[in-house]
Amino acid sequence: MAAVLRAVLADARAQLVSEPHAAPSVADLLRSAEGRLAEGARETLFPVINATGVVIHTNLGRAPLAPEAVAAMQAAAGYGNLELDLETGRRASRHDHLDGLIAEVSGAEAGLAVNNCAGAVLLALAAVAGGAPVIVSRGELVEIGGGFRVPDVVAQSGSRLVEVGTTNRTHLRDYETALRDHPEARVILRTHPSNFRMTGFTSAPAVDALAHFAHAHGLLLVEDLGGGALVDLAPYGIEGEPTVQDSLRAGVDLVLFSGDKLLGGPQAGIVAGRRGLVDAVARHPLARALRLDKLSLAALAATLRLYRPPADPTRRVPVLRMLTEPVGRVAARADALAAMIADVPALEARVLETLGYAGGGAMPMQALASRALALESARFSADELARRLRTGATGVLGRIERDVVLLDLRTIGDAELPAVAEAVRAAS
Ligand SMILES: *Cc1c(COP(=O)(O)O)cnc(C)c1O
């Protein structure tokens, strides 16, 4: 407050120097101070309603948390036994809260979590490759987005990248050749091409064959899965997203995946795999720099608990619920919203069959049958209507297709319908 008033007076003095005859009145000064204070108090981060149909939307904060995870974060906000054994009163490790849970839900021997998956890849390579060359197929030298490029991460981990194969085809004999030239190599890194698909004349060794090859040559296989599905989504029509369990069963030594993609939890990077390797990752000095904060740790533990039988994660984890919800239910929600806004003047709304997307670097091309409400205003262009919806009291983020604003109901929950209807009314 005092700083704001000082700044206003400093500006007024500067103005007096350049324009001595235009002295501001006291009322001018007060108005200016009021304006600045209001500006300083304005928040910049708001909750919004995701009507884009993209379930894991990075710009909207990726996975919305389950109520259980929100409650756990709130409970963890004060003091807690984050790094303390209550029985002995001695210091303990924050990793203890997740190790058993990750192991239980993934089938790994051990697990830990750091700040995000990019950090997990960096840390895992630094800890288990220890500066020795890391072998990667040229078809997997990908950029995930937000500046995450596999070659750069390998370099930052302190290892040299050894590229094998070609962009579209890599065979086991390519790995063999690389090993002959680089016998000191310790790790093969496999990366899931989350956000693109290569089709046509392509080939890469199956993960179990690659694991077998790695172990036969005394190497470790580390896999950056990205999405990190713990539930097979194929029965719901979402194909081609490998599960963490599949990779571990195939023999991958360390699997790395995000907490806020298909897992449906907070931002985190999970490392699951063999006990000795997970312990080595936890001991590496970078683990301290990348460690998970207590709020995310609490939310992640609560989310992982939703995967323990008999809980059904497709009902309790919001991301999975949205991805697996039958389209008939989405359609019913679209009809309900249409009825709620039928009386809004100068607005035409009709239910359209559309396609939503999983998004978030997971299953990029995987379209999900959905329903949207198509809004056409007699007063505003589609751009202007979309802007008014975004900037209203409750921000609603839709998308524009062929000059029509679409509100996709796959990512709007039943409980959000009244707020969406209200926002449409206010924006029209
Ligand atoms: C998304 C993704 C990452 C980055 O994960 P963050 O949790 O956002 O750091 C890394 N690798 C792959 C394959 C990904 O899909």
Side-chain angles (χ1 to χ4, degrees):
M1 174 99 174
V4 168
L5 294 178
R6 265 184 225 116
V8 169
L9 287 177
D11 281 358
R13 276 189 212 105
Q15 200 193 331
L16 267 180
V17 172
S18 58
E19 298 169 62
H21 303 296
S25 67
V26 172
D28 289 338
L29 291 177
L30 283 177
R31 209 172 308 116
S32 162
E34 231 169 52
R36 282 204 205 194
L37 283 170
E39 208 164 274
R42 203 188 306 139
E43 290 187 23
T44 64
L45 184 60
F46 305 103
V48 299
I49 290 175
N50 177 6
T52 63
V54 178
V55 176
I56 305 167
H57 197 305
T58 296
N59 299 151
L60 300 185
R62 289 201 184 154
L65 296 177
E68 290 85 348
V70 175
M73 274 179 106
Q74 189 145 27
Y79 293 124
N81 63 329
L82 181 64
E83 295 186 347
L84 193 92
D85 181 339
L86 290 174
E87 199 58 49
T88 62
R90 295 220 183 83
R91 182 163 186 192
S93 164
R94 70 177 62 208
H95 296 310
D96 297 345
H97 300 287
L98 291 172
D99 183 63
L101 261 177
I102 295 172
E104 183 186 341
V105 300
S106 71
E109 284 175 19
L112 63 78
V114 292
N115 182 60
N116 59 11
C117 185
V121 178
L122 178 71
L123 174 62
L125 291 179
V128 306
V134 170
I135 304 177
V136 187
S137 161
R138 288 199 169 89
E140 297 171 11
L141 291 174
V142 300
E143 173 173 322
I144 301 298
F148 180 95
R149 290 181 150 186
V150 169
D152 298 340
V153 177
V154 172
Q156 288 297 324
S157 77
S159 290
R160 194 154 49 86
L161 176 71
V162 174
E163 303 177 16
V164 300
T166 61
T167 303
N168 57 327
R169 288 172 78 83
T170 300
H171 310 282
L172 280 181
R173 63 173 182 275
D174 296 320
Y175 287 94
E176 212 156 343
T177 309
L179 258 187
R180 253 199 315 275
D181 298 339
H182 304 273
E184 72 285 19
R186 295 261 292 277
V187 170
I188 294 175
L189 173 67
R190 193 172 194 266
T191 305
H192 181 53
S194 305
N195 52 2
F196 72 102
R197 286 291 180 269
M198 219 159 46
T199 55
F201 189 55
T202 64
S203 138
V207 62
D208 52 351
L210 193 58
H212 189 264
F213 171 89
H215 299 153
H217 293 82
L219 299 172
L220 298 171
L221 179 59
V222 174
E223 184 173 36
D224 173 13
L225 260 192
L230 288 173
V231 170
D232 181 11
L233 293 167
Y236 302 96
I238 297 169
E239 310 276 347
E241 194 60 32
T243 65
V244 175
Q245 295 92 320
D246 287 343
S247 286
L248 289 165
R249 262 196 303 270
V252 175
D253 298 290
L254 279 183
V255 180
L256 318 169
F257 54 101
S258 283
D260 54 359
K261 290 182 182 171
L262 290 168
L263 184 71
Q267 178 184 308
I270 297 159
V271 179
R274 289 182 20 217
R275 163 65 61 198
L277 297 174
V278 170
D279 288 347
V281 169
R283 279 195 308 271
H284 191 275
L286 263 180
R288 170 64 181 79
L290 294 168
R291 80 180 179 191
L292 197 61
D293 74 286
K294 64 178 178 179
L295 301 181
S296 303
L297 190 150
L300 181 58
T303 305
L304 290 171
R305 275 189 215 103
L306 300 176
Y307 284 86
R308 293 166 92 183
D312 176 359
T314 64
R315 285 170 186 275
R316 305 195 44 199
V317 177
V319 160
L320 296 181
R321 197 170 49 220
M322 286 187 265
L323 287 173
T324 62
E325 187 178 41
V327 70
R329 296 248 296 278
V330 180
R333 210 154 49 238
D335 292 338
L337 182 59
M340 289 164 92
I341 60 170
D343 63 331
V344 176
L347 186 77
E348 192 197 319
R350 66 209 147 83
V351 175
L352 265 191
E353 290 190 14
T354 56
L355 295 174
Y357 291 91
M363 311 164 292
M365 263 73 93
Q366 188 74 57
L368 304 166
S370 190
R371 293 288 186 280
L373 215 54
L375 303 180
E376 281 179 276
S377 166
R379 300 172 58 200
F380 305 114
S381 68
D383 277 334
E384 178 59 13
L385 181 60
R387 192 194 64 80
R388 292 173 64 85
L389 283 165
R390 276 199 310 275
T391 55
T394 302
V396 175
L397 273 286
R399 62 177 198 268
I400 297 179
E401 265 176 31
R402 282 187 231 108
D403 252 3
V404 176
V405 175
L406 299 185
L407 302 183
D408 196 309
L409 276 296
R410 182 163 287 281
T411 48
I412 299 176
D414 286 324
E416 289 173 321
L417 287 182
V420 176
E422 187 50 46
V424 169
R425 199 173 292 280
S428 299

